[in-house]
Amino acid sequence: MKKFSDLILNPISNKQITHENVLKGKFKIMKSDDEKMLAFGWASVSMRVDGELIEDWQKDIVEPEELERAAYEFVELYREGGEMHERGGAAVLIESIVFTEEKMQAIGIPAGTLPIGWWIGFKVLDKDVWEKVKDGTYLMFSIEGEAERIAL
């Protein structure tokens, strides 16, 4: 089984990023709107487009159903974006969808087009944080959470 880290490329050099040069659980910001201070991208991906579950650097796998449950809980209870897991209030969630096989089929996205994952969008409220998004200091989203490890 390939790890998600095996699939990450540096957006500047297009070379593979290794465990040593990237923090775990980070996903590149895929779209942004400078004027509106909006940023969009994957919060987490559970399964590749070919159906292979992704194993992270800690050898953990987040099953699609668990990812969906966690995403719904975040949207229901939190919706706030922080800065580097140090402080809150930097952003607010404006978009969230967990792309499951069932949802993609229902909205007409052909199988094998998108991974099973959680897509998010945030409105950044803090101008200093937005400047760091624009200048490339913050290139990715990073989710934070707790889970109970279950041996298979």
Side-chain angles (χ1 to χ4, degrees), residues 1-62:
M1 176 182 304
K2 288 187 180 179
K3 297 178 184 177
F4 182 71
S5 57
D6 296 335
L7 308 173
I8 300 174
L9 296 179
N10 182 307
I12 297 168
S13 70
N14 209 30
K15 293 181 181 175
Q16 183 168 349
I17 295 176
T18 64
H19 178 69
E20 289 77 30
N21 62 12
V22 137
L23 296 174
K24 67 181 177 99
K26 303 275 187 163
F27 291 86
K28 181 181 175 190
I29 295 173
M30 303 300 289
K31 178 183 184 297
S32 63
D33 182 319
D34 287 344
E35 184 179 310
K36 297 178 183 175
M37 294 175 40
L38 304 177
F40 302 86
W42 294 106
S44 183
V45 176
S46 177
M47 187 180 290
R48 295 180 48 205
V49 295
D50 64 5
E52 184 179 6
L53 285 171
I54 294 172
E55 182 179 271
D56 69 17
W57 288 322
Q58 291 74 42
K59 307 253 187 254
D60 292 326
I61 294 172
V62 179

Side-chain angles (χ1 to χ4, degrees), residues 115-129:
I116 305 293
W118 180 21
W119 176 268
I120 56 173
F122 277 91
K123 171 150 180 72
V124 179
L125 305 173
D126 184 300
K127 289 185 190 283
D128 292 333
V129 170

Side-chain angles (χ1 to χ4, degrees), residues 61-80:
I61 294 172
V62 179
E63 296 283 344
E65 298 80 17
E66 279 301 306
L67 177 61
E68 189 174 31
R69 185 197 59 71
Y72 294 161
E73 186 173 307
F74 177 82
V75 171
E76 180 182 4
L77 301 175
Y78 304 106
R79 294 183 296 277
E80 181 181 72

